[in-house]
Amino acid sequence: IHDVSLIGLEGPGRTALLASNPGSVIEVQSDATRSSLIQGLSLFSGEATDGGGVSLSAGSPTLRHVWIEDNVATNRGGGIHGLGASPRLEHVVVYDNSADLEAGGVYLRYGAPELFDVRIESNGASNGRYGGIYLDSTTGTLVDLVVHSNSASGTCGGRCISGGEPVIEGFDVWDNHAGTGGGVYLGYTD
């Protein structure tokens, strides 16, 4: 099945998907395109190795008006984990997620994500780095990104970019904490 839509008609405050067993709340496979739509949902209580809330295996869906909250990853991406993925996120809140190693909120590597009006708040990497969002070797666009109150025990509490050339327009970063680079950390960017 290609390009499936999953829409909560009552919105994220009233329609939720809850993980009942260990695993991601939603797993998106590599054949998903931006025509695959996840909209109007809260995604919470996921517990996985990577991507407690959303795991993107090179899939590139559109997430619109989605709340991703209270998810856990033992490795990377408590809220969202994507490797080779190019998702489009519109009006998304990533809140109170955690990862033991990297990126309590969002971990995206090797893709071209598009993020518009995304709020990344109160996420943490308890034993590692990148509390809020980590982009590695990515291109893509980030517009109106708010990153605050995230934390990491190692490098970068807020927004971390390593490699790639993302276009960034309008972002607010405040009250993030880490051992090094509490708010913004740029490593090896062009």
Side-chain angles (χ1 to χ4, degrees):
I1 298 174
H2 298 281
D3 299 331
V4 174
S5 293
L6 183 59
I7 300 173
L9 298 178
E10 297 291 322
R14 298 183 53 113
T15 309
L17 293 179
L18 167 69
S20 62
N21 294 312
S24 302
V25 178
I26 291 182
E27 293 184 24
V28 179
Q29 300 302 314
S30 61
D31 56 355
T33 68
R34 295 233 172 110
S35 296
S36 297
L37 176 64
I38 300 167
Q39 177 176 304
L41 296 169
S42 290
L43 310 175
F44 65 96
S45 294
E47 189 174 321
T49 302
D50 293 313
V54 178
S55 176
L56 304 170
S57 299
S60 300
T62 297
L63 280 72
R64 183 179 299 136
H65 297 289
V66 172
W67 297 348
I68 301 166
E69 55 188 309
D70 196 28
N71 298 288
V72 176
T74 55
N75 281 340
R76 296 172 181 89
I80 299 173
H81 178 271
L83 193 58
S86 298
R88 181 178 176 94
L89 279 61
E90 303 171 1
H91 316 292
V92 170
V93 175
V94 181
Y95 177 79
D96 199 29
N97 300 284
S98 64
D100 287 341
L101 297 181
E102 295 181 327
V106 178
Y107 179 97
L108 295 171
R109 189 171 195 189
Y110 306 129
E114 294 181 355
L115 282 66
F116 298 95
D117 187 28
V118 174
R119 184 176 197 90
I120 301 169
E121 177 182 351
S122 299
N123 301 286
S126 58
N127 296 311
R129 53 193 182 169
Y130 321 133
I133 180 170
Y134 176 63
L135 302 174
D136 183 13
S137 303
T138 60
T139 58
T141 305
L142 291 78
V143 177
D144 295 331
L145 188 67
V146 175
V147 181
H148 78 89
S149 301
N150 300 287
S151 63
S153 62
T155 303
C156 186
R159 187 189 73 169
C160 316
I161 299 174
S162 180
E165 297 178 1
V167 175
I168 301 169
E169 298 177 12
F171 68 91
D172 291 321
V173 179
W174 77 92
D175 199 30
N176 299 284
H177 304 277
T180 304
V184 176
Y185 180 84
L186 302 174
Y188 308 111
T189 59
D190 294 330

